[in-house]
Amino acid sequence: MTLFDLTGKTALFTGGGGGIGLAMAKGLAAHGAEVVLVGRNREKLDAAAAGIVAAKGQAQIAVCDLLDTAALEALVAETEARHGGIDILINNAGIQHRQPALDIADADWGRVLETNLTIPFRLARAVGRGMVGRGSGKIINTLSVLSSLGRPSVVPYTAAKGGLKMLTKGLAVELAPSGLQVNGIAPGYILTEMNTALSQDRAFSDWLTARTPARRWGQPEDLVGAAVFLASAASDFVTGHVLTVDGGMTASV
């Protein structure tokens, strides 16, 4: 089990206040990591951190608008100064925008691309500098099965997640000589707040469960094992990889 021991490691989480991010943060904390949850909603972050601490884990919060590049850089600098470095970066924050492609406004397109693709790049750039200096580090990007598949009404999201997949691979190749591993986790359809409308749509939910070999929606906890593996020494020779967690959906025709 020492391969999965994260004792003494600091993990910076975006989108860790709920859903998939919080589940992964709890998992890393349970394996010894100190997690720093980043977001804009202090109340939500406080509740998430309190739950981790109540389970005997270590958690702190950092309220930050990641769309503000100066605030993002300051967040990274302050976290590194406080913890002596950031060992693990999990780019999990993301947004969705459902609308026919021909009706999407430039502002909505830009907002989805910046949140789901540009912010992960900026964080990887800021955190990666310190990791390269120390000769080690793990960067994990939350992708989606829609990184590789198209679906009507979510074109900005698929474009951003597809770009994030290639950002993952590009960074992996460039940073591997410095001792870093950069990987992605591609969840299938998970029961989170972002997917509430879909899960409440009986026709869609019936289609999804029939389409998925596991015959169910995913739960946030289904992502924990993948996150711990990619954050730990168990994955030291794994980089540029996308670990799909979808109940077999993309393996099936």
Side-chain angles (χ1 to χ4, degrees), residues 91 141-147 157 160-166 168 183-187 241-243:
N91 280 313
N141 296 320
T142 300
L143 308 177
S144 166
V145 293
L146 297 182
S147 302
Y157 185 81
K161 290 298 186 178
L164 187 56
K165 178 176 72 172
M166 293 313 299
T168 300
N183 292 290
I185 298 175
H241 179 66
V242 176
L243 202 170

Side-chain angles (χ1 to χ4, degrees), residues 105-115:
D106 286 350
D108 292 323
W109 168 269
R111 181 172 55 91
V112 174
L113 268 289
E114 186 165 16
T115 302

Side-chain angles (χ1 to χ4, degrees), residues 27-47:
L28 266 64
H31 282 74
E34 181 169 2
V35 299
V36 180
L37 308 178
V38 181
R40 289 182 292 184
N41 187 323
R42 179 179 293 276
E43 183 177 346
K44 193 173 183 179
L45 292 174
D46 279 337

